[in-house]
């Protein structure tokens, strides 16, 4: 007969598989971009889709990470939606060189830029700049989406920032290759020209500041788009582009050739040994982490599904037990892991401490461990399942804010690359201390079990309910228990939507929702790209209260 523990494991596993399948189904729809009819139209015009271009460009049978596939999810319904933000971004390998590829999806509003499109493009450039990673642009875009131009055009993190980053990356020596494989119009025309080398596809690629209709309206000149800014014009007359190619396939082959000629970069020198499989099957993570986010579990068992077998070496295991700080290896890479311990523990005084809560001793330990990893050039991995810092008079009198600030200071000033994996809860200041998006993780991804918010749905709903009841009572309304429960259910349902990992992914608070099995790949490829940086700045933490 199965034990209660085995039954719970099986239930958790089933729930995780359902979540993963739901994720796969959502991504399958997103991968269709603007729909099959528009894909067919793209093919009829002799062009591959954005995803087909990336598939043909990347080295066969190599790993890849897609960034922001869920960007724009369930957004812009009044404008017909914007699947994947209208642009596909992938970290992968071209001619055995790790790089990041950015491809406009012309099946989504002709590749026009929505606000989330700009944010996603800037995230791709940020990854390239932080990691000195070559970037390839596959351009096929009608430019800014005019009905929303006020949200994409003129601010600091809007469309113009793209070209500022082009210039900065060029000065940093980061390789940029742009291929004009469709429309490239208005301000967008600067992107390929500000890249190191540019290609244009004959008969389908065009570059101009204004198309033929606007030229006619502005200066009265009659001219067709091909003569105005087609491949022949821009390679033989203006000299704007470096290479004219016959079609998409030839264009992608030429990019592969250009990438193959790039010299080797200096590397930071993060330690790596032979990769060893984890001691536990990575799929065991499905059953270990509870589907109910309030339930405890053994975090060390979860770590055994991620790290190389026999590589854990815990730092201060008997102190600050609600945080696990440990050296380990992931795919051979030496890493320092900071993970929220979700089991209930006792401190040295015999006092019970709640799992997932950061106490003063835990924060103090984590700060010191972060400093050690920076001293030793060891990348940091944060595994979030945190409900926040401990509250109450005892914690306040003991200096919880001071100790939390110490951890945040050490983490925020870290010069070794940081990677965040949100496996469960990531609430409040706990999100910050565990290297949330605001603290520049090189990559931040979430499991389908993740929740990202100021507080849990249940806690927030009760707080918001009291506010709502107070308002209604002030108006003289009588609130009976039945109405109170209906209000609570309504508030919680609305709040639960906003703490979902899909909501976070749609707004690019996280780079992706991943199958837990892919955690090792994300960390390994992330450290590999971070090693391109060449050197690390000196580690300084500033003023820390002791």
């Amino acid at each position: 007969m199965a034990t209660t523990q085995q039954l719970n494991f099986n239930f958790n596993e089933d729930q995780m598989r359902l979540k993963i399948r739901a994720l796969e189904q959502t991504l399958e729809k997103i991968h269709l971009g603007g729909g099959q009819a528009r894909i067919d139209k793209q093919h009829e015009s002799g062009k591959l889709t954005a995803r087909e271009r990336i598939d043909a460009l990347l080295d066969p049978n190599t790993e890849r990470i897609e960034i922001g596939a869920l960007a724009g999810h369930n957004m812009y319904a009044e404008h017909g939606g914007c699947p994947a933000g209208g642009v596909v971004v992938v970290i992968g390998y071209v001619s055995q060189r790790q790089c990041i590829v950015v491809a406009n999806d012309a099946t989504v509003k002709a590749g026009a830029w929505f606000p989330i499109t700009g944010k996603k493009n800037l995230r791709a450039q940020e990854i390239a700049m932080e990691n000195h990673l070559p970037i390839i642009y596959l351009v096929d875009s009608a430019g800014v989406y005019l009905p929303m131009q006020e949200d994409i055009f003129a601010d600091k993190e809007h469309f113009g920032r793209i070209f500022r980053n082009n210039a900065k990356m060029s000065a940093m020596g980061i390789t940029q290759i742009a291929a004009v494989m469709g429309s490239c119009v208005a301000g967008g025309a600067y992107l390929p020209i500000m890249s190191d080398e540019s290609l244009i596809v004959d008969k389908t690629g065009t570059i101009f500041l204004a198309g033929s209709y606007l030229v006619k309206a502005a200066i009265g000149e009659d001219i067709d788009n091909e003569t105005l800014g087609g491949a022949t014009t821009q390679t033989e007359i203006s000299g704007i582009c470096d290479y004219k190619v016959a079609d998409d396939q030839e264009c992608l082959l030429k990019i592969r050739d250009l990438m193959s000629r790039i010299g080797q970069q200096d590397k930071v020198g993060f330690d790596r040994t032979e990769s060893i499989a984890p001691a536990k099957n990575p799929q065991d993570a499905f059953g270990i982490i509870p589907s109910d986010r309030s339930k405890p579990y053994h975090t060390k068992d979860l770590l055994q599904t991620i790290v190389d077998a026999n590589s854990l070496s815990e730092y201060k295991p008997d102190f600050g037990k609600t945080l696990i700080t440990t050296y380990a290896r992931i795919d051979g890479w030496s890493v320092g892991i900071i993970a929220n311990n979700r089991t209930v523990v006792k401190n040295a005084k015999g006092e019970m401490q709640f799992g997932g809560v950061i106490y003063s001793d835990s924060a103090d330990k984590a700060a010191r461990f972060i400093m050690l990893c920076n001293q030793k050039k060891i990348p940091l991995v944060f595994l979030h399942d945190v409900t926040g810092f401990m509250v109450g008079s005892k914690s306040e009198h003991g200096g919880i804010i001071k100790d939390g600030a110490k951890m945040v200071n050490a983490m925020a000033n870290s010069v070794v690359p940081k990677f965040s994996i949100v496996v469960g809860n990531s609430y409040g200041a706990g999100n910050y201390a565990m290297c949330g998006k605001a603290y520049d993780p090189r990559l931040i991804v979430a499991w389908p079990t993740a929740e990202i918010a100021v507080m849990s749905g249940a806690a927030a709903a009760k707080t918001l309910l009291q506010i709502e009841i107070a308002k209604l009572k002030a108006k003289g309304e009588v609130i009976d228990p039945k109405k109170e429960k209906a209000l609570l259910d309504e508030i919680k349902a609305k709040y639960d939507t906003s703490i979902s990992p899909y909501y976070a992914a749609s707004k690019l608070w996280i780079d992706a929702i991943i199958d837990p099995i892919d955690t090792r790949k994300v960390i390994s490829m992330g450290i590999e790209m971070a090693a391109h940086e060449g050197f690390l700045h000196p580690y300084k933490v500033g003023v820390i209260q002791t």
Side-chain angles (χ1 to χ4, degrees):
M1 183 179 293
T3 64
T4 301
Q5 185 179 7
Q6 185 61 48
L7 289 172
N8 288 337
F9 184 96
N10 293 343
F11 178 78
N12 293 336
E13 184 178 37
D14 289 343
Q15 294 303 303
M16 179 69 87
R17 291 189 186 280
L18 288 172
K19 289 179 185 293
I20 291 170
R21 183 56 192 142
L23 173 63
E24 291 170 345
Q25 290 174 330
T26 301
L27 291 174
E28 285 166 8
K29 292 178 182 178
I30 288 171
H31 289 175
L32 288 173
Q36 192 59 50
R38 290 178 182 173
I39 291 173
D40 293 341
K41 188 175 180 181
Q42 184 102 337
H43 290 161
E44 287 166 10
S45 64
K47 300 197 295 184
L48 299 173
T49 66
R51 293 185 181 278
E52 289 168 341
R53 286 166 175 167
I54 290 174
D55 287 342
L57 178 62
L58 295 182
D59 295 346
N61 305 314
T62 54
E63 299 282 20
R64 65 175 73 178
I65 302 169
E66 182 168 354
I67 301 296
L70 288 154
H73 181 59
N74 288 336
M75 293 168 64
Y76 312 121
E78 67 277 21
H79 297 278
C82 188
V87 61
V88 185
V89 176
V90 172
I91 299 169
Y93 301 88
V94 174
S95 297
Q96 300 178 46
R97 271 78 170 174
Q98 193 181 36
C99 60
I100 187 162
V101 183
V102 180
N104 300 115
D105 187 348
T107 70
V108 179
K109 289 287 191 296
W113 286 52
F114 283 67
I116 197 66
T117 316
K119 188 173 184 179
K120 186 170 174 180
N121 274 269
L122 287 172
R123 175 59 178 148
Q125 289 187 321
E126 179 182 42
I127 291 171
M129 293 171 79
E130 283 183 331
N131 300 286
H132 287 243
L133 199 62
I135 185 167
I136 299 168
Y137 308 99
L138 306 181
V139 184
D140 195 346
S141 171
V144 167
Y145 183 61
L146 289 178
M148 301 189 77
Q149 65 89 24
E150 72 275 16
D151 297 318
I152 181 62
F153 174 64
D155 209 347
K156 181 178 179 180
E157 299 295 329
H158 282 178
F159 192 64
R161 190 77 170 180
I162 300 292
F163 315 125
R164 175 264 188 193
N165 288 348
N166 289 143
K168 289 288 187 180
M169 281 190 278
S170 181
M172 294 167 68
I174 297 171
T175 297
Q176 300 176 82
I177 297 172
V180 181
M181 307 181 79
S183 180
C184 184
V185 64
Y190 287 102
L191 185 146
I193 313 313
M194 295 187 74
S195 298
D196 299 324
E197 292 183 278
S198 60
L199 306 87
I200 185 168
V201 179
D202 196 20
K203 302 298 187 270
T204 56
T206 52
I207 307 176
F208 32 63
L209 293 180
S212 56
Y213 292 131
L214 185 53
V215 168
K216 175 68 175 176
I219 63 173
E221 180 183 2
D222 281 308
I223 190 169
D224 63 88
N225 282 339
E226 184 65 26
T227 305
L228 181 66
T232 298
T233 296
Q234 302 295 28
T235 56
E236 297 181 20
I237 298 174
S238 72
I240 280 176
C241 287
D242 304 308
Y243 308 99
K244 178 172 75 172
V245 290
D247 52 29
D248 280 13
Q249 289 83 356
E250 184 180 330
C251 181
L252 299 171
L253 286 172
K254 185 64 178 178
I255 294 171
R256 290 183 58 81
D257 175 64
L258 294 173
M259 285 292 292
S260 72
R261 300 173 188 276
I262 297 174
Q264 293 298 318
Q265 295 175 267
D266 292 336
K267 300 293 178 71
V268 172
F270 301 125
D271 185 62
R272 191 179 196 184
T273 58
E274 182 181 353
S275 177
I276 300 173
K280 289 182 179 290
N281 188 327
Q283 289 193 6
D284 284 354
F286 297 2
I288 292 169
I289 189 164
S291 59
D292 182 343
R293 300 304 323 117
S294 65
K295 289 186 176 179
Y297 60 92
H298 293 288
T299 305
K300 291 179 185 178
D301 288 345
L302 195 67
L303 289 175
Q304 295 284 5
T305 69
I306 298 171
V307 306
D308 294 8
N310 303 315
S311 69
L312 287 173
S313 179
E314 196 171 349
Y315 173 76
K316 288 186 182 287
D318 299 319
F319 180 77
K321 294 179 183 177
T322 63
L323 274 177
I324 296 170
T325 51
T326 182
Y327 300 109
R329 290 192 181 274
I330 294 177
D331 196 25
W333 293 105
S334 174
V335 297
I337 297 175
I338 300 169
N340 302 109
N341 190 1
R342 283 303 307 273
T343 55
V344 178
V345 298
K346 285 185 180 180
N347 64 15
K349 298 176 183 178
E351 300 167 329
M352 300 302 295
Q353 293 184 332
F354 299 103
V357 179
I358 302 175
Y359 291 75
S360 283
D361 54 356
S362 303
D364 184 78
K365 176 175 77 169
R368 186 169 176 82
F369 183 68
I370 289 167
M371 295 180 205
L372 284 170
C373 287
N374 273 273
Q375 186 183 55
K376 298 177 179 180
K377 291 205 304 187
I378 299 175
L380 288 163
V381 176
F382 294 82
L383 257 62
H384 297 223
D385 199 345
V386 58
T387 52
F389 285 85
M390 191 58 190
V391 297
S393 60
K394 186 175 180 179
S395 291
E396 297 294 356
H397 297 169
I400 185 67
I401 297 175
K402 172 193 67 178
D403 292 318
K406 188 188 303 183
M407 179 179 173
V408 171
N409 196 326
M411 178 274 299
N413 284 295
S414 179
V415 296
V416 295
K418 300 169 291 191
F419 302 90
S420 283
I421 315 295
V422 186
V423 302
N425 307 327
S426 189
Y427 298 154
N431 171 274
Y432 298 164
M434 293 294 291
C435 193
K437 183 64 182 287
Y439 293 86
D440 299 320
R442 299 299 176 97
L443 294 173
I444 177 170
V445 298
W447 289 6
T449 42
E451 292 183 358
I452 302 171
V454 172
M455 61 183 77
S456 71
K462 289 175 183 175
T463 303
L464 294 169
L465 175 66
Q466 296 309 310
I467 296 170
E468 189 63 27
I469 287 175
K471 288 180 182 177
L472 294 172
K473 284 182 176 178
K475 295 177 182 178
E477 294 190 31
V478 178
I479 310 297
D480 58 43
K482 187 176 180 181
K483 186 171 183 179
E484 183 175 324
K485 184 180 184 307
L487 267 174
L488 178 64
D489 291 343
E490 180 184 347
I491 292 168
K492 188 174 184 304
K494 188 180 295 184
Y495 192 84
D496 282 347
T497 298
S498 69
I499 69 176
S500 152
Y502 288 89
Y503 189 85
S506 72
K507 295 182 176 295
L508 285 173
W509 298 348
I510 56 176
D511 292 317
I513 303 174
I514 65 167
D515 184 326
I517 291 173
D518 290 332
T519 303
R520 281 169 59 86
K521 176 185 77 174
V522 168
I523 296 169
S524 179
M525 286 184 65
I527 297 173
E528 181 184 352
M529 74 179 186
H532 292 138
E533 191 175 355
F535 71 98
L536 296 178
H537 296 284
Y539 182 53
K540 299 178 181 179
V541 294
V543 177
I544 293 182
Q545 289 195 29
T546 57

